[in-house]
Amino acid sequence: MRIFPLITLLSLFITACTPEQKVPTDWQLTGFIKMDADNPVLTPDTTTLFVDPIKGDTVKWEGKDVFNPASVVRNDTLFLLYRAEDFVGRYNGTSRIGLAYSQDGIHFTRYPQPVFFPQEDKAKIYEWEGGAEDPRIVEDESGRYIMTYTGYDGDLARLLLATSTDLKQWTKYGSAFAEQEDINRWSKSGAIVSEMSDGRLIAKKINGKYWMYFGDTDLFLASSDDLIKWTPVKDAKGEWIKVLSPREGKFDSDLVEPGPPAMLTKNGILLIYNSRNALDDRYDAALAHGTYSAGQVLFDPAHPERIIARSEDYFFTPDKDYEITGQVNNVCFLEGLSFYKGQWFVYYGTADSKIAVAVAPENSTLFR
């Protein structure tokens, strides 16, 4: 267990509450334009069938909703791994992960079967029958893909991890956490700190460790030696240290949750995060209660728990029909980010029902 001394905790508290603007005003990755003519780029499909290996029944595995995709560039092709729900799971449909590919980042061809799903394996106790949800992907230096995802057993969401060399065949490792005391706590949404190289997010060690931001109320921080087993950063009482929290009266007044994997830029560690507007009087009155928008935060590479800067307002919010109405109304949930063919592509779930894309020009000033 990693313990921080009191002076460090005090510094963390002050920094997190009142970020110091020590970086250029253009530290954020912005300029995204939603591709209205083509959005949504993936929608539910009731024609693709899958024989569930646990129940033995044939299900319309992506028939109800598709959303919350990860993106990765492989051999000049852009791939999406996306969450898909059927109609029959007890918890609003069982979730599985599908795979689609594109040569332009806009038009996708889907594989007819999910590439990742609950089955009779060691991870079943975490995944059944809510499913496998919300993937995020980085590569290591050897080209192996590291996927963090959420397993939901109907009672507890847990941050889980798997690896692959081809995006199709996966090795499951169960919980992302090394210690039992962390495994059985509610946890989601692991965004591993990486460097961007030709559209490829390559996991990057800082201070001799890999780092990951995670959580879906507050954000927490964990470290790893091998990208497989992670140890949350804790205080003297053994509690996970909060590194980012909601702000009353703002777009992120109710919860914060990592978006795509964090990226090392010349200014610091840049994390795009999702957030929800509060359901009570703590909310931002300019947005509907419960609206999911996205902001950005910059952490100090020398001290990944410290905030350097944080956006005062969202840069991405629901304003299209397909983002406003769906399984959950008023949702833009960003999870996939790739630099592909000279542009930034961000992929996101819309109203927990469909998948859309927005594109921004290259911003080379952000990177070394």
Side-chain angles (χ1 to χ4, degrees), residues 152-309:
Y152 185 56
D153 63 4
D155 179 54
L156 194 64
R158 293 178 174 89
L159 182 59
L160 308 181
L161 188 142
T163 65
S164 175
T165 58
D166 64 3
L167 301 175
K168 302 172 188 176
Q169 302 296 321
W170 292 88
T171 299
K172 295 182 181 181
Y173 291 85
S175 174
F177 298 130
E179 302 296 332
Q180 191 64 40
E181 64 189 37
D182 302 311
I183 292 172
N184 290 324
R185 290 186 59 173
W186 183 280
S187 59
K188 295 181 70 177
S189 307
I192 296 171
V193 177
S194 307
E195 280 189 324
M196 181 63 74
S197 176
D198 296 326
R200 299 167 60 222
L201 286 166
I202 310 297
K204 176 69 174 178
K205 277 189 174 181
I206 299 174
N207 300 330
K209 297 278 189 180
Y210 296 106
W211 298 90
M212 174 178 68
Y213 298 97
F214 70 97
D216 72 332
T217 47
D218 302 282
L219 293 197
F220 308 98
L221 180 66
S223 66
S224 175
D225 293 320
D226 60 5
L227 289 170
I228 302 300
K229 289 301 179 183
W230 296 80
T231 301
V233 177
K234 300 177 182 179
D235 63 18
K237 295 181 179 179
E239 292 299 316
W240 296 348
I241 289 177
K242 299 175 183 179
V243 299
L244 191 74
S245 294
R247 298 176 292 186
E248 185 172 345
K250 291 188 176 292
F251 70 98
D252 50 9
S253 51
D254 192 49
L255 64 80
V256 289
E257 185 171 352
M263 295 190 300
L264 189 63
T265 73
K266 71 177 185 181
N267 297 312
I269 300 170
L270 176 62
L271 178 68
I272 293 173
Y273 68 93
N274 298 295
S275 64
R276 187 171 68 189
N277 197 24
L279 303 175
D280 55 26
D281 59 7
R282 297 174 298 120
Y283 82 125
D284 179 347
L287 296 170
H289 288 287
T291 297
Y292 275 81
S293 305
Q296 300 187 39
V297 61
L298 194 68
F299 291 97
D300 184 351
H303 303 278
E305 77 282 0
R306 294 182 185 173
I307 296 172
I308 298 175

Side-chain angles (χ1 to χ4, degrees), residues 75-150:
N75 298 333
D76 201 38
T77 299
L78 193 146
F79 288 86
L80 291 186
L81 286 106
Y82 60 95
R83 176 179 174 182
E85 290 180 333
D86 65 24
F87 295 95
V88 298
R90 285 189 297 165
Y91 305 105
N92 210 28
T94 296
S95 293
R96 301 171 181 86
I97 294 175
L99 181 65
Y101 63 92
S102 173
Q103 299 296 326
D104 63 5
I106 303 292
H107 304 93
F108 285 87
T109 300
R110 293 191 253 205
Y111 285 76
Q113 302 279 289
V115 296
F116 198 91
F117 44 87
Q119 54 188 303
E120 295 291 353
D121 56 23
K122 292 181 179 179
K124 178 185 174 183
I125 60 171
Y126 304 133
E127 298 174 355
W128 187 254
E129 71 184 88
E133 307 174 356
D134 300 355
R136 291 162 175 84
I137 295 180
V138 300
E139 290 184 60
D140 66 13
E141 293 181 351
S142 72
R144 178 182 58 163
Y145 298 102
I146 314 296
M147 180 173 71
T148 60
Y149 69 101
T150 300

